[in-house]
Amino acid sequence: VVFMRDSKKLVGHLYAMFTILVWGSCFVLTKNLLAVGITAVQIIPLRMILAYVTLLVMRPRFMRLPLRDELMFILIGITGGSVYFFLQNSALAHTYAANVSILIALSPILTVILAQLFSRKGERLYIGAVIAIAGVVMVVLNGTLTFHLSPVGDLLALGAALLWAIYSILIKPYTEQYDSFLVTRRVFFWAFITAIPLMLMTDGMPNLTPLFTQPKVLLYWAISGLCVTNMIV
């Protein structure tokens, strides 16, 4: 029994490390997609549809939700999907990937603060959150102690971190009530749907030619799209 419990912990730690590695690489991959002419807002539906299809193949089941929950999932899809990634991707167009990764790392402590303010069960994770952020800063800066500021991009990244904190609180009761695969896939669905009008009102349809003529661009899109499937709790 002890061995099984320890094995589960080890698997959990390995999965967490893999998730951190993959999620962190998304900042660089997004930067590369921006460099080939695909805009910040155009990247969102491209990533969301790939993530949705991936999870549909992995778990070809559907869930029915009452109208109230469906409306809440639209909000979750916006805060954790379309608008969140719009802010994050836009930040990458205006500042360094290192800045964005550090500022996005603030989302855990923002989540704790919001949980204390709006949740009756307020979670006391301040110390862990601070240690996690400090670790990200040390890894990203790599001992150079230099942090180049870019006000517009940095504020967009901070806004993305705040939205992710809101998303984390909104989605928690649903991950406890429903299958995490189905919940995450529903989030991707609404993120994709709400990203379409955002894209059409700003930059229009993306030029998909690089995806089919440049193998490395197709690889960037595939990996960055698959990255977001790590949202599964």
Side-chain angles (χ1 to χ4, degrees), residues 63-79 170 174 178 186-187 189-191 194:
M63 63 179 182
R64 294 183 178 180
L65 296 172
L67 179 59
R68 182 178 180 278
D69 287 352
E70 196 70 77
L71 292 175
M72 184 59 70
F73 266 93
I74 296 176
L75 180 59
I76 293 172
I78 291 172
T79 57
L170 293 178
Y174 295 101
Y178 301 107
R186 186 63 63 94
V187 173
F189 172 78
W190 285 117
T194 55

Side-chain angles (χ1 to χ4, degrees), residues 204-222:
M205 293 294 292
N207 177 17
L208 300 179
T209 301
L211 293 178
F212 302 103
T213 59
Q214 302 180 40
K216 66 178 183 180
V217 177
L218 179 61
L219 181 63
Y220 295 154
W221 170 61

Side-chain angles (χ1 to χ4, degrees), residues 2 10 16 41 43 47 64 81 172 209 224:
V2 174
L10 177 60
V41 68
I43 291 173
R47 295 179 69 183
R64 294 183 178 180
K172 186 174 182 179
T209 301
S224 64

Side-chain angles (χ1 to χ4, degrees), residues 135-210:
V136 171
V137 172
M138 286 188 291
V139 170
V140 172
L141 296 184
N142 195 26
T144 61
L145 297 179
T146 57
F147 185 76
H148 303 285
L149 296 178
S150 178
V152 174
D154 295 341
L155 286 175
L156 288 171
L158 189 58
L162 178 60
L163 273 186
W164 189 262
I166 295 172
Y167 156 82
S168 299
I169 293 175
L170 293 178
I171 200 173
K172 186 174 182 179
Y174 295 101
T175 57
E176 295 173 349
Q177 183 178 358
Y178 301 107
D179 186 314
S180 293
F181 267 81
L182 304 184
V183 167
T184 307
R185 198 176 70 208
R186 186 63 63 94
V187 173
F188 290 149
F189 172 78
W190 285 117
F192 172 74
I193 295 298
T194 55
I196 294 298
L198 184 63
M199 177 183 69
L200 295 178
M201 289 187 298
T202 53
D203 300 332
M205 293 294 292
N207 177 17
L208 300 179
T209 301

Side-chain angles (χ1 to χ4, degrees), residues 16-117:
M17 292 173 64
F18 174 75
T19 301
I20 293 169
L21 175 64
V22 173
W23 189 262
S25 68
C26 285
F27 300 109
V28 178
L29 293 170
T30 301
K31 199 81 171 178
N32 290 332
L33 288 174
L34 291 170
V36 298
I38 302 176
T39 68
V41 68
Q42 290 170 343
I43 291 173
I44 303 167
L46 290 175
R47 295 179 69 183
M48 294 300 105
I49 191 62
L50 179 58
Y52 178 86
V53 171
T54 300
L55 291 185
L56 181 60
V57 171
M58 294 173 66
R59 187 71 60 84
R61 290 170 46 199
F62 296 89
M63 63 179 182
R64 294 183 178 180
L65 296 172
L67 179 59
R68 182 178 180 278
D69 287 352
E70 196 70 77
L71 292 175
M72 184 59 70
F73 266 93
I74 296 176
L75 180 59
I76 293 172
I78 291 172
T79 57
S82 57
V83 178
Y84 164 76
F85 281 109
F86 172 69
L87 293 178
Q88 176 185 289
N89 296 348
S90 297
L92 286 166
H94 291 89
T95 189
Y96 303 92
N99 290 30
V100 177
S101 61
I102 290 173
L103 292 169
I104 293 296
L106 291 174
S107 57
I109 198 166
L110 292 176
T111 303
V112 172
I113 292 172
L114 291 179
Q116 289 284 354
L117 293 175

